[in-house]
């Protein structure tokens, strides 16, 4: 399983693991019934504590994305991908709102903000 973990990020490593796995589920890379690597295997692969991986797996299970079968492993559940996509849209919306507020505090008009967004989208 390929994950990118930024150890210098302010986001805790267990949350980064969770987000990586959620993205893999939304993209279809991980499907319901797929097994996740064992806690030990993933901790060795990422060179982090097994307790950190265990915390990420526990949180994913609490959120309904995975299920752990004692002695067998942790598996992706039939999570509602539409619910996850909606959650991601809300996060992006919050970031847009924050950017708009910041722009307005700098005296930018709505039209200037729209033009800036259009430029950013063109570059991508």
């Amino acid at each position: 399983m390929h994950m990118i973990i930024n150890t210098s990020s302010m986001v805790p490593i267990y949350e980064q693991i969770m987000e990586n796995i959620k993205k893999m589920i939304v993209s279809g890379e991980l499907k319901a019934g797929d097994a996740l690597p064992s806690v030990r295997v993933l901790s060795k692969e990422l060179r982090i504590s097994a307790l950190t991986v265990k915390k990420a797996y526990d949180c994913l299970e609490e959120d309904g994305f995975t299920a752990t079968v004692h002695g067998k492993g942790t598996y992706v559940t039939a999570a509602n991908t539409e619910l996850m996509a909606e959650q991601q849209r809300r996060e992006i919306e919050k970031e847009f709102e924050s950017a708009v507020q910041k722009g307005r505090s700098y005296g930018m008009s709505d039209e200037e903000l729209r033009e800036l967004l259009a430029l950013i989208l063109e570059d991508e």
Side-chain angles (χ1 to χ4, degrees):
M1 177 178 289
H2 178 71
M3 282 192 207
I4 298 173
I5 302 296
N6 182 353
T7 55
S8 62
S9 171
M10 296 299 290
V11 177
I13 293 174
Y14 82 94
E15 286 183 14
Q16 292 181 52
I17 293 169
M18 290 174 55
E19 288 307 311
N20 273 281
I21 291 173
K22 287 179 183 180
K23 286 177 189 174
M24 289 180 207
I25 293 170
V26 169
S27 73
E29 186 178 336
L30 286 174
K31 296 175 180 38
D34 287 350
L36 297 180
S38 71
V39 169
R40 280 188 228 164
V41 167
L42 189 57
S43 68
K44 282 183 182 179
E45 187 179 305
L46 297 176
R47 295 187 176 120
I48 59 173
S49 166
L51 293 175
T52 302
V53 175
K54 174 86 169 97
K55 183 172 183 176
Y57 279 18
D58 288 347
C59 290
L60 286 167
E61 188 164 7
E62 285 176 23
D63 293 344
F65 295 106
T66 63
T68 301
V69 179
H70 235 339
K72 300 256 184 188
T74 301
Y75 298 88
V76 176
T77 59
N80 185 341
T81 56
E82 187 57 39
L83 182 63
M84 283 193 308
E86 180 61 30
Q87 179 184 11
Q88 290 171 337
R89 282 190 287 273
R90 279 186 296 216
E91 289 176 21
I92 292 168
E93 185 178 326
K94 284 180 188 175
E95 291 193 28
F96 275 142
E97 287 174 354
S98 175
V100 167
Q101 288 174 353
K102 192 171 195 174
R104 285 180 177 159
S105 74
Y106 291 157
M108 294 178 75
S109 69
D110 288 356
E111 187 56 36
E112 289 173 313
L113 291 169
R114 282 187 195 94
E115 289 173 10
L116 183 58
L117 179 59
L119 284 171
I120 291 169
L121 291 172
E122 280 179 18
D123 289 344
E124 298 297 316

